[in-house]
Amino acid sequence: DAMVIQNPRYQVTQFGKPVTLSCSQTLNHNVMYWYQQKSSQAPKLLFHYYDKDFNNEADTPDNFQSRRPNTSFCFLDIRSPGLGDAAMYLCATSSVLRASGRKETQYFGPGTRLLVL
Amino acid sequence: ELKVEQNPLFLSMQEGKNYTIYCNYSTTSDRLYWYRQDPGKSLESLFVLLSNGAVKQEGRLMASLDTKARLSTLHITAAVHDLSATYFCAVHGGSQGNLIFGKGTKLSVKP
């Protein structure tokens, strides 16, 4: 089945120790998103890639970076995690209608829960 | 500013009762999404409403869309405990057309 996969599902890191979260997809979608979701809140978009074009949200801290080496994979790097970065991180993908540029339905991965000690 | 407002934010229901969750949005959008999220889990897509007057039903849940009023409803019929979860609505908006989420409605169905 075509899907969005995130690894690891749970990640424990130490304060200030860099961590990388992984997302892969078999849907061949050209857009990949990273969201941060804290307890009892809605998902918050951090950034997205449209093909190789990186689009950062204005309020995403510099501590968060992303890489997309190919269509299938996208990584979220947290350079110096703080206690406030503990959250669920959700990856999603969508296709885009080339004619209109309209983004289609997003498909979410299972998420990675990050704990910062 | 683009806004998606859900109400209520918290809903405690008894099994067997009916209730409606409302989603208002401030931007024009031709599509609206409803997602379900169980504690500690990711978002599960429930409905994609594509046009004015669209109505979709799945089991005890029915969603509708009124694009003129910029309002969607999620109606719960004869609630059961398994429906306990947080429900989010979302629309596309902004210059990039990304999803804008409501704050979510936490539903608790009690025996």
Side-chain angles (χ1 to χ4, degrees):
Chain A
D1 286 342
M3 57 197 324
V4 182
I5 302 163
Q6 290 188 245
N7 285 302
R9 298 292 306 278
Y10 300 92
Q11 176 74 57
V12 181
T13 190
Q14 290 181 327
F15 183 93
K17 185 174 181 181
V19 66
T20 294
L21 309 183
S22 169
C23 177
S24 64
Q25 54 136 340
T26 59
L27 298 161
N28 203 34
H29 284 166
N30 46 6
V31 188
M32 296 187 76
Y33 308 81
W34 279 105
Y35 291 87
Q36 179 193 63
Q37 187 180 25
K38 296 187 177 180
S39 181
S40 300
Q41 295 183 18
K44 177 182 180 299
L45 182 64
L46 295 173
F47 26 59
H48 74 278
Y49 272 95
Y50 184 154
D51 293 326
K52 292 187 177 182
D53 292 333
F54 178 71
N55 298 273
N56 199 32
E57 293 300 296
D59 57 354
T60 298
D62 292 341
N63 198 26
F64 292 86
Q65 303 285 322
S66 185
R67 296 170 283 133
R68 189 179 186 186
N70 54 52
T71 300
S72 301
F73 283 87
C74 196
F75 300 99
L76 169 61
D77 300 309
I78 308 176
R79 292 193 294 186
S80 181
L83 297 178
D85 296 328
M88 173 77 91
Y89 290 87
L90 299 169
C91 174
T93 73
S94 74
S95 59
V96 175
L97 290 179
R98 293 289 182 187
S100 64
R102 191 179 82 175
K103 290 172 178 162
E104 295 296 286
T105 300
Q106 291 189 20
Y107 295 81
F108 285 84
T112 295
R113 181 161 294 281
L114 177 68
L115 180 62
V116 181
L117 300 178
Chain B
E1 183 186 350
L2 302 173
K3 287 184 180 178
V4 179
E5 295 182 342
Q6 287 182 238
N7 73 82
L9 298 182
F10 298 93
L11 177 55
S12 182
M13 296 177 64
Q14 280 192 313
E15 280 190 330
K17 298 293 187 182
N18 305 331
Y19 208 83
T20 300
I21 299 170
Y22 297 88
C23 175
N24 288 92
Y25 55 97
S26 64
T27 181
T28 55
S29 180
D30 60 350
R31 287 167 292 161
L32 186 137
Y33 303 85
W34 283 99
Y35 290 93
R36 169 182 171 144
Q37 188 173 38
D38 292 300
K41 304 290 187 182
S42 185
L43 297 176
E44 173 192 354
S45 179
L46 291 175
F47 301 108
V48 181
L49 301 169
L50 297 176
S51 61
N52 188 42
V55 176
K56 290 195 173 180
Q57 183 162 5
E58 181 72 35
R60 300 175 188 273
L61 299 178
M62 184 173 70
S64 66
L65 178 63
D66 181 343
T67 57
K68 293 180 182 177
R70 298 183 185 174
L71 170 68
S72 179
T73 61
L74 180 66
H75 187 71
I76 302 153
T77 301
V80 293
H81 178 71
D82 285 352
L83 290 179
S84 297
T86 299
Y87 294 85
F88 291 96
C89 64
V91 297
H92 290 278
S95 60
Q96 302 268 6
N98 293 320
L99 280 185
I100 302 169
F101 286 89
K103 290 186 175 181
T105 297
K106 185 172 183 178
L107 172 65
S108 176
V109 181
K110 302 183 184 304

